[in-house]
Amino acid sequence: MRTGVRPLFVVLSLVLVAGCQGNRDQLLADLQSPRPEVRAQAVKALAKQGNADDLVLFTRAAKDMASIVRGEAAEALGESQDPRVVDLLGELLEDQDEDVQGRAAMALSKVKNDKAKAYLTLQYGRRSRNTRQVIVQALKSANVPGAMAEVVAAESKAIWDRNLLTLNEGTLPERVGAAEELGKSGRSEAVNRLLPLVRDSQVILAAAAVRGLGDAGDRRAVAAIAPLLDESFPELREASIGALRKLQDPSSVQRLLAVAMEKSPVSSLAADAIAALPRSPETDAALCNVALEGARNEALSAARAMRSRNGCPVEQIAERLTRPASVENGLRAVIGLGPVAQAALPKVLPLLASPDVGQRMLAVEAVAAIGDASAAPAVQKLYEQELKATEPLRQDWVSAPLPKTYGAGLDPSAPVEERHKHSHSDPEDGRGAKYNQLFDRVRSLNAQRAREAGRVQVEARVPSELYEDVEPAKLEPLAAVLRALGTLKAPGALELLKGYAGDSSVTLRTAALVGLARLGPEGVEAAKGGMFESERDLQKALAQALAEQGEAGQLALVALLPQFSSEKLVLLDALDRFGAPASASEALRTVVGEGGAEAALAANVLGRLKARDAVDTLLKALGEPASVARREVLLALGEIGDTKAAEAVARDLYHDLPDIRAAAATALSRIGTASQTEALDALKSDYYRRVREAAGAALAKSGTATEGAR
């Protein structure tokens, strides 16, 4: 028996060796397969065999054209733990495919030497979010203490050194960019480097230094920046105003006021900067000064800012309304202040009869802004006068009514071939004709898709006049009265404005639709059809008027959203500025799901609504790597405060864009940071000041964020 066992064992061993050799031969043959998945599987199988001689095969596979093969090769090289493969894995860490980058990072963690760690640390600052997150995991796997803090600090140092070198040795355009980037770091050393540059002979470099100082947030720079408002270079003055606005130092009020009052191209920026400063008696007085004495745009902006600050002294307004030289200033202040200037109404009403057209229009706007219904009879009387004045100008010189449809060959929306069929000129030939046919087919397909989706296409309005020979400026007085009649809800205004809603003049049509929107639910119903007009200015004015009216108008805009395609931005902008009802969530979720620029505005609104039913939609949007609305989606999730979003939001703490990292940290401060404290603590050494501050704020709130999110 014992003599028979040994030959059997030898035979079985030979069979197994022969089988393994045959399998290996097949794997080597598979490495030459034209199919990438077969080559990848062969690399994976060979790696499991652990044959040191196969290292050369894996090295060759790392150069394969297919990313799936390169990924398997990276893992195989890592399993070898051979120090010689570190450089090759470092190259794979820069691969164009993110999956290969991640697998190369994890492979480097298995080598566990200083060179592998150096590759991982260096590439963290050069890669996108997913790879950065894997690099941190790889360093943790290699038992590197404080892995994320180390790579964040290394990235911060690299950015600082690069910008500092560029500022000292780069070309002028490069130095401009470096100056701004140094300021964004918020470091004291950056402020010290930039302060001498604000007086540089190269204006664009001086302006960049000023912008950088504004981003740095160090108020030491105010003393150096404020005198630059007296310079004659618009770019430098604009940069200085922006920086002073960011630095929020009340000591700059008087200098900003001087610029706001000079009626120059940068005056409006200065007025806005004053309004953005912390509120104080000095800033209120400065805004009232601009409202009463500034140019039209600055005065209106300053006065509107004072609406929520209890307005300006009525005595000052009344004084200007009684002096001919300053009447218009007083009226503009009333327009901006609106209802808080109610006490000035008795001084405004007599000006409705002013012989000066400009004053009369301002008086109408002022009465409408105050919104006192007792002024309606005076405005109705003025309507009759303005109508009588414009009727001769608008007299039809063709008495017969014009057709409501285009004649044969004249419809601009008709196919090119059909238009040429009725044309006396020869149709286009050659490539031009083919292009026209192609565009016709595209328009037809787009129209068909819109119909199938239930969307209404905005079409050009068929003209009801051969030629509108009255200049729009001459119709503005009547238009102002129409808007005022709607605002004051004057008796009979609904029917009157409906009559103008189809007027041939876009000026009067816009005024009538805006007036209707201000008449309440019935007026909103009559006006909302105007959103399908092709004139963009009309659409914007009407959308804003509807949104300003509260729930009725906002519901109308929300109901129109599914019917619009490219024009959605007009509706969403109005809802973003004036709010939306809670029932808007479903329509807004659809917009977010469609992506594009519209998704950013829709996410903003959903965040303010704290729409918990939108969390899943927003999380799905975060999963889109190329989403242009990522920052807004993150902030919206933070506003909603649902803790189930924390993990997805936290991934963007690794994002390569500082704005996204800051938004993720801000969102986590509201959602809760219990499991993200390590990453947030690491970001306290981030290069960018706004990221550091957002991370610090999130950590400071870590004890209360979860409670607040319930």
Side-chain angles (χ1 to χ4, degrees), residues 520-534:
E522 194 173 356
V524 166
E525 187 64 28
K528 66 180 184 181
M531 288 302 304
F532 296 109
E533 292 263 9
S534 59

PDB file of all heavy atoms in Angstrom, residues 520-534:
ATOM      1  N   GLY A 520     -54.444  92.162  -8.061  1.00  0.00           N
ATOM      2  CA  GLY A 520     -54.938  91.024  -7.304  1.00  0.00           C
ATOM      3  C   GLY A 520     -55.147  89.810  -8.185  1.00  0.00           C
ATOM      4  O   GLY A 520     -54.794  89.798  -9.370  1.00  0.00           O
ATOM      5  N   PRO A 521     -55.758  88.754  -7.635  1.00  0.00           N
ATOM      6  CA  PRO A 521     -55.896  87.483  -8.353  1.00  0.00           C
ATOM      7  C   PRO A 521     -56.523  87.602  -9.733  1.00  0.00           C
ATOM      8  O   PRO A 521     -56.061  86.968 -10.683  1.00  0.00           O
ATOM      9  CB  PRO A 521     -56.773  86.636  -7.409  1.00  0.00           C
ATOM     10  CG  PRO A 521     -56.501  87.201  -6.056  1.00  0.00           C
ATOM     11  CD  PRO A 521     -56.278  88.664  -6.254  1.00  0.00           C
ATOM     12  N   GLU A 522     -57.583  88.404  -9.853  1.00  0.00           N
ATOM     13  CA  GLU A 522     -58.237  88.528 -11.156  1.00  0.00           C
ATOM     14  C   GLU A 522     -57.314  89.193 -12.172  1.00  0.00           C
ATOM     15  O   GLU A 522     -57.244  88.792 -13.338  1.00  0.00           O
ATOM     16  CB  GLU A 522     -59.532  89.338 -11.012  1.00  0.00           C
ATOM     17  CG  GLU A 522     -60.437  89.241 -12.233  1.00  0.00           C
ATOM     18  CD  GLU A 522     -61.783  89.906 -12.020  1.00  0.00           C
ATOM     19  OE1 GLU A 522     -62.044  90.389 -10.888  1.00  0.00           O
ATOM     20  OE2 GLU A 522     -62.577  89.962 -12.980  1.00  0.00           O
ATOM     21  N   GLY A 523     -56.591  90.202 -11.728  1.00  0.00           N
ATOM     22  CA  GLY A 523     -55.642  90.860 -12.614  1.00  0.00           C
ATOM     23  C   GLY A 523     -54.481  89.959 -12.977  1.00  0.00           C
ATOM     24  O   GLY A 523     -54.007  89.964 -14.121  1.00  0.00           O
ATOM     25  N   VAL A 524     -54.031  89.170 -12.014  1.00  0.00           N
ATOM     26  CA  VAL A 524     -52.943  88.225 -12.277  1.00  0.00           C
ATOM     27  C   VAL A 524     -53.347  87.240 -13.358  1.00  0.00           C
ATOM     28  O   VAL A 524     -52.569  86.924 -14.272  1.00  0.00           O
ATOM     29  CB  VAL A 524     -52.558  87.477 -10.981  1.00  0.00           C
ATOM     30  CG1 VAL A 524     -51.686  86.263 -11.279  1.00  0.00           C
ATOM     31  CG2 VAL A 524     -51.834  88.419 -10.023  1.00  0.00           C
ATOM     32  N   GLU A 525     -54.570  86.743 -13.265  1.00  0.00           N
ATOM     33  CA  GLU A 525     -55.069  85.791 -14.256  1.00  0.00           C
ATOM     34  C   GLU A 525     -55.085  86.408 -15.653  1.00  0.00           C
ATOM     35  O   GLU A 525     -54.757  85.749 -16.642  1.00  0.00           O
ATOM     36  CB  GLU A 525     -56.478  85.333 -13.861  1.00  0.00           C
ATOM     37  CG  GLU A 525     -57.047  84.213 -14.707  1.00  0.00           C
ATOM     38  CD  GLU A 525     -56.258  82.920 -14.578  1.00  0.00           C
ATOM     39  OE1 GLU A 525     -55.649  82.696 -13.515  1.00  0.00           O
ATOM     40  OE2 GLU A 525     -56.249  82.135 -15.545  1.00  0.00           O
ATOM     41  N   ALA A 526     -55.456  87.690 -15.722  1.00  0.00           N
ATOM     42  CA  ALA A 526     -55.504  88.365 -17.018  1.00  0.00           C
ATOM     43  C   ALA A 526     -54.113  88.693 -17.549  1.00  0.00           C
ATOM     44  O   ALA A 526     -53.906  88.761 -18.761  1.00  0.00           O
ATOM     45  CB  ALA A 526     -56.324  89.649 -16.888  1.00  0.00           C
ATOM     46  N   ALA A 527     -53.146  88.877 -16.646  1.00  0.00           N
ATOM     47  CA  ALA A 527     -51.818  89.334 -17.068  1.00  0.00           C
ATOM     48  C   ALA A 527     -50.866  88.199 -17.406  1.00  0.00           C
ATOM     49  O   ALA A 527     -49.949  88.385 -18.212  1.00  0.00           O
ATOM     50  CB  ALA A 527     -51.205  90.191 -15.968  1.00  0.00           C
ATOM     51  N   LYS A 528     -51.028  87.022 -16.808  1.00  0.00           N
ATOM     52  CA  LYS A 528     -49.988  85.990 -16.900  1.00  0.00           C
ATOM     53  C   LYS A 528     -49.743  85.522 -18.331  1.00  0.00           C
ATOM     54  O   LYS A 528     -48.631  85.081 -18.662  1.00  0.00           O
ATOM     55  CB  LYS A 528     -50.338  84.808 -16.002  1.00  0.00           C
ATOM     56  CG  LYS A 528     -51.573  84.026 -16.431  1.00  0.00           C
ATOM     57  CD  LYS A 528     -51.838  82.879 -15.465  1.00  0.00           C
ATOM     58  CE  LYS A 528     -53.020  82.036 -15.931  1.00  0.00           C
ATOM     59  NZ  LYS A 528     -53.300  80.923 -14.980  1.00  0.00           N
ATOM     60  N   GLY A 529     -50.752  85.639 -19.204  1.00  0.00           N
ATOM     61  CA  GLY A 529     -50.555  85.260 -20.607  1.00  0.00           C
ATOM     62  C   GLY A 529     -49.498  86.096 -21.295  1.00  0.00           C
ATOM     63  O   GLY A 529     -48.895  85.674 -22.288  1.00  0.00           O
ATOM     64  N   GLY A 530     -49.237  87.295 -20.757  1.00  0.00           N
ATOM     65  CA  GLY A 530     -48.222  88.154 -21.337  1.00  0.00           C
ATOM     66  C   GLY A 530     -46.827  87.581 -21.222  1.00  0.00           C
ATOM     67  O   GLY A 530     -45.904  88.047 -21.913  1.00  0.00           O
ATOM     68  N   MET A 531     -46.631  86.568 -20.370  1.00  0.00           N
ATOM     69  CA  MET A 531     -45.313  85.954 -20.238  1.00  0.00           C
ATOM     70  C   MET A 531     -44.902  85.219 -21.509  1.00  0.00           C
ATOM     71  O   MET A 531     -43.728  84.894 -21.691  1.00  0.00           O
ATOM     72  CB  MET A 531     -45.293  84.981 -19.054  1.00  0.00           C
ATOM     73  CG  MET A 531     -45.309  85.649 -17.693  1.00  0.00           C
ATOM     74  SD  MET A 531     -43.922  86.785 -17.422  1.00  0.00           S
ATOM     75  CE  MET A 531     -42.518  85.742 -17.701  1.00  0.00           C
ATOM     76  N   PHE A 532     -45.854  84.953 -22.411  1.00  0.00           N
ATOM     77  CA  PHE A 532     -45.522  84.277 -23.667  1.00  0.00           C
ATOM     78  C   PHE A 532     -45.186  85.255 -24.778  1.00  0.00           C
ATOM     79  O   PHE A 532     -45.025  84.861 -25.927  1.00  0.00           O
ATOM     80  CB  PHE A 532     -46.686  83.375 -24.092  1.00  0.00           C
ATOM     81  CG  PHE A 532     -46.947  82.246 -23.127  1.00  0.00           C
ATOM     82  CD1 PHE A 532     -48.078  82.254 -22.333  1.00  0.00           C
ATOM     83  CD2 PHE A 532     -46.044  81.203 -22.999  1.00  0.00           C
ATOM     84  CE1 PHE A 532     -48.311  81.223 -21.430  1.00  0.00           C
ATOM     85  CE2 PHE A 532     -46.263  80.178 -22.101  1.00  0.00           C
ATOM     86  CZ  PHE A 532     -47.403  80.185 -21.315  1.00  0.00           C
ATOM     87  N   GLU A 533     -45.091  86.546 -24.429  1.00  0.00           N
ATOM     88  CA  GLU A 533     -44.637  87.531 -25.408  1.00  0.00           C
ATOM     89  C   GLU A 533     -43.161  87.277 -25.727  1.00  0.00           C
ATOM     90  O   GLU A 533     -42.412  86.734 -24.911  1.00  0.00           O
ATOM     91  CB  GLU A 533     -44.789  88.938 -24.830  1.00  0.00           C
ATOM     92  CG  GLU A 533     -46.239  89.366 -24.651  1.00  0.00           C
ATOM     93  CD  GLU A 533     -46.737  90.216 -25.801  1.00  0.00           C
ATOM     94  OE1 GLU A 533     -46.003  90.332 -26.815  1.00  0.00           O
ATOM     95  OE2 GLU A 533     -47.837  90.762 -25.692  1.00  0.00           O
ATOM     96  N   SER A 534     -42.724  87.696 -26.894  1.00  0.00           N
ATOM     97  CA  SER A 534     -41.334  87.458 -27.286  1.00  0.00           C
ATOM     98  C   SER A 534     -40.385  88.544 -26.797  1.00  0.00           C
ATOM     99  O   SER A 534     -39.175  88.345 -26.775  1.00  0.00           O
ATOM    100  CB  SER A 534     -41.233  87.353 -28.815  1.00  0.00           C
ATOM    101  OG  SER A 534     -41.697  88.547 -29.428  1.00  0.00           O
TER     102      SER A 534
END
